[in-house]
Amino acid sequence: MLHIEKVAAAYGDVQALWDVSLDVQVNEIVVLIGPNGAGKTTLMRTIAGLHRPRSGRILFEGTALHTVAAHQIVERGIILVPEGRRLFEGMTVLENLQLGAYTRRAKQQRDKTLRHVLDIFPLLAERRHDRASSLSGGQQQMLAIGRALMGLPRLLMLDEPSLGLAPLIVRHIFEIVKSIKEEGVTVLLVEQNARRALELAHRAYILEQGRIVGTGSGSDLLHNDEVREAYLGYAPVTARTLT
Amino acid sequence: MMRRIVMRRIGMRDVAMTSPAALTRSRAWRGPVLMAGVIALAALVPVLIDKQDTLNLLFLICLHITLGQSWNILAGFAGQTSLGHAAFFGIGALVTRTLWLNGMFFPVAFLLSGLAAVAFAMLIGVPTFRLRGAYFAIGTLGIAEVLRITVSQNLPLISTMPAAEIAAYNLTLRYYVALALALTTIGAAALLLRSSWSLGILAVREDEEAAQATGVNVLGHKLLALFISSFFAGLAGGLFAFQQISYYPSAAFSPVWTFDALLITFIGGLGTIGGPVLGAIFFILVRQRLAVTLVEVHQIVFGILFILIVLVFPGGLMGAWDRLRPRAIAEALRSRRQLHKS
Amino acid sequence: MAQNIVYGLFVGGIYGIAAVGLALAFGVMNVLNIAHGELLMFGGYISFWLFSLLGIDPFVSLIICIPALFLIGLLLDRLVYRHVARLRGEAKIKNSLLISFGLVLILQNVAIRLFTADERTTQVSYIGQGINLFGIALPYTRLMGLVIALVTILALHLFLQRTDSGKAIRATAEDWEAAELSGINVPRVYMLTFALGAALAGIAGTLVSVTSSVAPSIGLDWTLKALIVVVLAGTGSIIGAFPAGLLLGLVEALSSIFISASYREVVGLVIFLLVLLIRPQGLFGSREAA
């Protein structure tokens, strides 16, 4: 479905990605883990069209994405829930959701999708006329996911959805991600919370210092010694040297 | 090679930074010799040519070199895009005109124009430097307009030289004063770039926060640039007051002076020593040429040129010289492409 | 006194419309358009010529003037401002300011070539006529101007709050990247925003041509007025610029009573400088859009 081939990206003189190749198949959950500053967010932004790759190709169902504007990528069904949620905080919950369905494709079914999203997140229905800035952190993350769902994603990309949230809420969000996948949406997930993410993943990639350094099925990586050492907290000393 | 690329990437104002290094190269003797030749020629003009038109044109070029270079010191070197330059020019004109016509010895009245402008700069410097970027620009524009309106309300009458002064009017003298002033301003700008302050001033321009973090006294360096800039702008005003037979006092506060300084510096090359010189020559010659046949068209031409320079050729005429060489073009394209990606 | 205040409000309404146009481009696009006053000037000329050549009432000719300025806005965005869209933050504001300075030169001198440097006023037949209310003269032209200003603001407010395009503008103002990620075509939103701002300048220009006069040189004064108002309102505020415009009109009226008519302009600028230095978020400062 998504095919990334030897992508390199840079901010000015600072190169952030080298020769990154990655594949996502239809209706799987693919997880990307790696230490801070490894380039995970850059990769997500590059796929979403907010950042142009310096070289390499990104194909979605065979057509090129890396030459297309971000809003057109959304139109094709690839939607990113960005790091830090990036809600329209001065606007109401409902307005945020409506804006999520701005593309022509999504607008036609906006009311139907809205009912569906509010079913998934009943809390948002209660607070639909409140400003997004008045929501708690967990609610804001749900709104961010809800806004993305309003755009009828075929590939949903989530960048650190659990960041800064309480464990109970994190569990809830992971359950929602799983149910989204069961509705037929393909998921590409970036997570710091590697254990939980790998438990959910069909396959995973490890990104370090801008390069893919490992890949495998979720359960393989979960039991891989190096991964356990580096990302699952079995040997904190080594983990620190990696970041 | 590497240095070139790095300099290119820093952007449009690299030429000023390369000049000290360039002097150490083998062709270094050419610059000073050429310069001495030009100065000698300029000094001899009144002897060689006995045409008031030409002399007047050269006077205007010198005045505008001073105007542009003084703005360049603040905006091009220290990165503070002031739109209030007319205030210093106007204050200088007002002070010199008033004192001189009331009997003060001209050289003293002239020097006081610069000092009065610096005094005003001291007054507004600290508060306006709390503003950043575009806010600094509109804030300084506001200040200049306050002065202009106040002056036009209080001094509504035209100021004319006494008949005796007009009878004895000597354009050659005024031309020499203008030439000396322009050369002094260029020299001061060049000295500033070679001084120990230049690094701090350029650092403030490139990245204020980073400069602050590395211990540069940001406010101090901005103020230094402002004082030097306002001093020469004030003197330019004083020169204007010395030259004009009659004018409305508020005319010296007109935002047009700011805008001309801006045009000259950008056309020539922002942040370079040669930029305002080339820019002023180009500006005055084109204006003079087009004003005869097509009255407003020169301003339209300057406007279009200015937009193109800001958008496409940030180096101005100085930069265009570099770009004309094929390798420089390739490099410029490369760095542009990279800039766009970031 | 009361007469002065009423006139202050009339003038303030025009300030408000002029400022909202500038605030739109600034708040949404981070573009500081110093040539806004020149757009206003062109609006004034359009209604002046439509009246003097074809006899069309200036308040009617708005239906031509608004789309004309809208088109000019589209064109300027396409030709010029789109090229600074890639820049971010400070650099973008500064470059947009510089570019618009070039536009000032172009537009002003095009106007001199086309219309000469003379001052022009749209002299409608009912100029000078009006209602007298408790001894306060309310000329029809001024009353009509205020009504049009109020209707315009109400329409803009509803557009921004209720329509999808309006919401897209507000969303883009808050976070253009998040807007792109929602499928909003941000360059198109910028184009629409700039054109709307230009259209508002056209309305303000029409009101200026009826109630005072237009000349190629009026641009800078009006840009400054609009800037003063935008800074008063706080730079994130779009609709908020309208009440701030009324306030400036009022302050100017009061200062001409209590200080001197000749320092009217200075008072506004001094307030502008004080607000800029002391309360950069503006008097009604809130960071929210619209």
Side-chain angles (χ1 to χ4, degrees), chain A residues 82-95:
Chain A
E83 189 184 20
R85 306 187 266 277
R86 307 283 288 267
L87 297 172
F88 305 118
E89 296 199 340
M91 303 173 82
T92 65
V93 169
L94 191 60
E95 283 176 324

Side-chain angles (χ1 to χ4, degrees), chain A residues 31-35 40 160 162 170 174 189-201 203-206 217-219 221-223 226-234:
Chain A
V31 166
L32 189 63
I33 58 172
K40 305 189 296 289
E160 308 253 8
S162 71
V170 173
F174 273 84
L189 175 67
V190 164
E191 252 310 323
Q192 289 267 323
N193 198 333
R195 176 190 303 277
R196 211 178 279 281
L198 288 177
E199 281 168 4
L200 199 67
R203 290 185 307 112
Y205 290 86
I206 304 168
S217 74
S219 54
L221 290 180
L222 214 45
H223 298 103
E226 280 174 56
V227 174
R228 282 159 72 100
E229 244 181 57
Y231 297 104
L232 302 175
Y234 286 95

Side-chain angles (χ1 to χ4, degrees), chain A residues 45 48 50 69-71 74 79-80 82 86-91 95 98-100 102-103 107 110 131 147, chain C residues 160-161 164-165 167-168 170-172 174-189 288:
Chain A
R45 288 172 57 88
L50 291 176
H71 63 268
V74 175
I79 302 185
L80 170 66
R86 307 283 288 267
L87 297 172
F88 305 118
E89 296 199 340
M91 303 173 82
E95 283 176 324
Q98 286 168 342
L99 283 164
Y102 199 82
T103 59
K107 213 176 256 183
R110 191 161 79 180
R131 284 197 176 202
R147 183 177 67 183
Chain C
L160 290 176
Q161 293 296 326
D164 281 342
S165 300
K167 286 174 186 173
R170 284 160 60 213
T172 305
E174 276 203 39
D175 186 337
W176 72 270
E177 278 192 348
E180 273 278 337
L181 290 178
S182 302
I184 294 170
N185 185 341
V186 169
R188 184 175 296 167
V189 168
E288 267 98 28

Side-chain angles (χ1 to χ4, degrees), chain C residues 138-206:
Chain C
L138 304 171
Y140 289 133
T141 51
R142 302 241 170 207
L143 267 180
M144 203 47 202
L146 191 60
V147 168
I148 283 178
L150 288 170
V151 169
T152 305
I153 286 307
L154 188 70
L156 182 68
H157 177 73
L158 290 177
F159 172 74
L160 290 176
Q161 293 296 326
R162 301 280 168 82
T163 68
D164 281 342
S165 300
K167 286 174 186 173
I169 288 178
R170 284 160 60 213
T172 305
E174 276 203 39
D175 186 337
W176 72 270
E177 278 192 348
E180 273 278 337
L181 290 178
S182 302
I184 294 170
N185 185 341
V186 169
R188 184 175 296 167
V189 168
Y190 282 167
M191 204 155 96
L192 173 67
T193 305
F194 193 81
L196 274 177
L200 287 167
I203 298 174
T206 299

Side-chain angles (χ1 to χ4, degrees), chain A residues 12-13 51 54, chain B residues 9 338 341-342:
Chain A
D13 291 344
H51 197 86
R54 184 165 281 183
Chain B
R9 203 154 303 152
Q338 280 162 4
K341 277 177 190 161
S342 60

Side-chain angles (χ1 to χ4, degrees), chain A residues 44-62:
Chain A
M44 297 298 249
R45 288 172 57 88
T46 308
I47 300 170
L50 291 176
H51 197 86
R52 289 265 163 266
R54 184 165 281 183
S55 62
R57 300 195 302 165
I58 302 173
L59 303 178
F60 184 67
E61 294 173 336

Side-chain angles (χ1 to χ4, degrees), chain C residues 47-212:
Chain C
S47 69
F48 169 79
W49 287 113
L50 284 174
F51 177 77
S52 357
L53 297 179
L54 303 173
I56 303 175
D57 186 276
F59 298 113
V60 177
S61 72
L62 277 174
I63 51 172
I64 300 169
C65 181
I66 294 172
L69 264 293
F70 189 87
L71 275 178
I72 294 177
L74 287 183
L75 207 67
L76 287 181
D77 183 75
R78 245 356 253 262
L79 287 177
V80 182
Y81 287 106
R82 180 156 291 191
H83 302 287
V84 287
R86 280 175 179 283
L87 301 170
R88 297 287 157 240
E90 272 299 299
K92 184 173 179 185
I93 301 178
K94 203 161 152 178
N95 274 282
S96 67
L97 181 140
L98 288 171
I99 287 171
S100 59
F101 160 70
L103 280 180
V104 167
L105 283 183
I106 298 169
L107 295 176
Q108 195 175 323
N109 289 287
V110 165
I112 296 175
R113 288 257 349 144
L114 291 177
F115 314 131
T116 78
D118 297 344
E119 268 190 33
R120 318 265 192 174
T121 301
T122 309
Q123 302 262 3
V124 288
S125 57
Y126 47 90
I127 206 162
Q129 295 175 29
I131 316 167
N132 197 309
L133 206 67
F134 310 114
I136 301 168
L138 304 171
Y140 289 133
T141 51
R142 302 241 170 207
L143 267 180
M144 203 47 202
L146 191 60
V147 168
I148 283 178
L150 288 170
V151 169
T152 305
I153 286 307
L154 188 70
L156 182 68
H157 177 73
L158 290 177
F159 172 74
L160 290 176
Q161 293 296 326
R162 301 280 168 82
T163 68
D164 281 342
S165 300
K167 286 174 186 173
I169 288 178
R170 284 160 60 213
T172 305
E174 276 203 39
D175 186 337
W176 72 270
E177 278 192 348
E180 273 278 337
L181 290 178
S182 302
I184 294 170
N185 185 341
V186 169
R188 184 175 296 167
V189 168
Y190 282 167
M191 204 155 96
L192 173 67
T193 305
F194 193 81
L196 274 177
L200 287 167
I203 298 174
T206 299
L207 303 184
V208 170
S209 84
V210 180
T211 55
S212 68

